[in-house]
Amino acid sequence: MAAAPTLAALAQPVLAADIPATILPAAGQRVAGTLAGYLACAKVITRRDFPLAASDPLAACAAVLSKWLHRHIGDTACLEPLFQIEPVAIDHIDDFDEAACALDAAEAQAVRGVHIRWSERNICHWTVGPGFERLEAAVPGLGATVLDILEEKSWQAYPLFTPSNVLDEASNQYWLGEEDETEMLDSECGDDKEAWEAMRADMVTRADIEQAFPAWALRRRPERMPLPVLRDIAIEHVDGYVRRATTLALALAETPTDNTFASRREGLFTGFCAVLCWRDEDIAVRVSDDYAHYAWQGDSFEEIGEVILPTADPRAFRQWMRAMEPNLRAIGLIDQLLLHLAEGY
């Protein structure tokens, strides 16, 4: 005897694609409407760009902003920039306090600004030593110049944990701020040579770092090749790998970045967009991990940049967009240069 069909076998009703799956409370709708209207006045949102099927208008606003930002950055292979936007209700926008960002129903009509912040979604280790050494071998001084450009521009637009950071943080974490471990070992072990040697064998030493990186990679502000020389190399060098690396470095050097919107919170910054290793999983990994663990024990932050803009002035948003465009281009160039260097084996 055949079994009767059960209710579970019947088709279940579903919402049409253009009906939101989540209904926001009235306060949330007001906040979303304020934010969407602001972005529309700032000419960020257009009818063509706005995802009408989005179940959350706030998420839709963030998606539109992210689309604009990534249009300037381009496709990335090494970096994953994350941009977030949220409304804020505060009495004095200039007096930003993170605790003031939370909005409840009573505050929903008091939205006076939008808080935009950006960070790196996925901090990875990239082995770039062979690529830099290939540049340095092809043209003495080129590897040091490209590294210096990458360090300078990344600190303004999207910070990297570089070999010079390895040396700086080793000094801060292990050596009491000194140039090497000698004073720390003397203060801990005194005249006990056996204890001195045992402690030294278990820590990161200056010799360890100097063995891991060439001297020119650890040097702050080396003598950089002039831009006309880089242009000649980018055009005339016989090695296509060298030409491509020089072209990217030159474009990055000529991009007018600045750190106007860098996050200036209290605590230690942990949001480096990538850790540069000279060899796979080298000492840079240990030092950067130790730095992060130390920072997380106290006040730390991972936001690379942020800004609060008043909803009463959509022009301020457009001005921010124009000001950010060079930094966004720099992020894209940093990504391309990292990928090229990592492929330099």
Side-chain angles (χ1 to χ4, degrees), residues 229-264:
V229 174
L230 293 179
R231 293 190 188 99
D232 290 341
I233 296 171
I235 296 171
E236 300 174 358
H237 201 277
V238 295
D239 188 339
Y241 180 88
V242 173
R243 291 198 305 272
R244 173 65 173 163
T246 307
T247 298
L248 291 171
L250 185 60
L252 187 56
E254 293 178 328
T255 301
T257 55
D258 64 56
N259 63 352
T260 301
F261 303 110
S263 186
R264 292 176 171 83

Side-chain angles (χ1 to χ4, degrees), residues 213-338:
F213 302 98
W216 54 264
L218 297 172
R219 190 179 305 127
R220 287 282 190 184
R221 308 306 304 165
E223 185 175 347
R224 188 188 290 187
M225 288 180 168
L227 295 184
V229 174
L230 293 179
R231 293 190 188 99
D232 290 341
I233 296 171
I235 296 171
E236 300 174 358
H237 201 277
V238 295
D239 188 339
Y241 180 88
V242 173
R243 291 198 305 272
R244 173 65 173 163
T246 307
T247 298
L248 291 171
L250 185 60
L252 187 56
E254 293 178 328
T255 301
T257 55
D258 64 56
N259 63 352
T260 301
F261 303 110
S263 186
R264 292 176 171 83
R265 301 189 180 206
E266 294 292 330
L268 295 175
F269 172 68
T270 60
F272 293 98
C273 63
V275 176
L276 302 191
C277 298
W278 216 253
R279 298 288 182 267
D280 289 344
E281 299 299 309
D282 65 11
I283 201 167
V285 176
R286 176 177 174 180
V287 176
S288 62
D289 285 351
D290 286 350
Y291 168 79
H293 291 152
Y294 171 75
W296 292 334
Q297 293 174 18
D299 293 332
S300 64
F301 63 96
E302 62 182 15
E303 287 80 7
I304 292 171
E306 60 189 327
V307 65
I308 292 184
L309 301 168
T311 54
D313 186 9
R315 292 175 301 176
F317 198 105
R318 294 196 295 273
Q319 290 168 357
W320 172 78
M321 291 169 68
R322 287 194 295 270
M324 275 293 293
E325 286 180 7
N327 277 27
L328 299 179
R329 289 198 301 273
I331 294 173
L333 289 167
I334 290 168
D335 180 89
Q336 293 179 61
L337 187 50
L338 276 182

Side-chain angles (χ1 to χ4, degrees), residues 79-248:
L79 309 176
E80 293 186 54
L82 174 65
F83 289 84
Q84 297 172 291
I85 182 171
E86 62 184 346
V88 290
I90 50 181
D91 293 332
H92 301 290
I93 287 177
D94 290 337
D95 299 333
F96 170 60
D97 187 304
E98 186 158 11
C101 283
L103 290 170
D104 57 24
E107 295 173 314
Q109 291 179 304
V111 174
R112 299 186 58 231
V114 291
H115 179 207
I116 305 169
R117 64 185 188 274
W118 51 100
S119 58
E120 169 59 31
R121 187 193 303 269
N122 186 26
I123 301 173
C124 295
H125 307 141
W126 291 94
T127 301
V128 295
F132 276 118
E133 289 176 353
R134 182 170 172 178
L135 299 180
E136 191 70 13
V139 182
L142 180 59
T145 295
V146 172
L147 178 57
D148 188 52
I149 292 171
L150 190 57
E151 281 192 302
E152 178 189 358
K153 291 299 183 175
S154 73
W155 272 109
Q156 293 177 350
Y158 212 60
L160 297 166
F161 198 89
T162 64
S164 60
N165 289 120
V166 173
L167 188 58
D168 288 345
E169 292 310 323
S171 174
N172 293 332
Q173 293 179 72
Y174 315 126
W175 309 335
L176 303 176
E178 299 296 326
E179 293 186 358
D180 62 29
E181 68 278 5
T182 303
E183 184 167 331
M184 190 281 296
L185 290 171
D186 286 342
S187 66
E188 292 291 324
C189 304
D191 294 331
D192 188 339
K193 296 302 182 183
E194 185 174 336
W196 198 93
E197 290 295 342
M199 179 174 286
R200 187 177 187 277
D202 195 42
M203 67 181 299
V204 174
T205 67
R206 177 74 183 231
D208 292 334
I209 295 175
E210 290 179 343
Q211 184 177 2
F213 302 98
W216 54 264
L218 297 172
R219 190 179 305 127
R220 287 282 190 184
R221 308 306 304 165
E223 185 175 347
R224 188 188 290 187
M225 288 180 168
L227 295 184
V229 174
L230 293 179
R231 293 190 188 99
D232 290 341
I233 296 171
I235 296 171
E236 300 174 358
H237 201 277
V238 295
D239 188 339
Y241 180 88
V242 173
R243 291 198 305 272
R244 173 65 173 163
T246 307
T247 298
L248 291 171

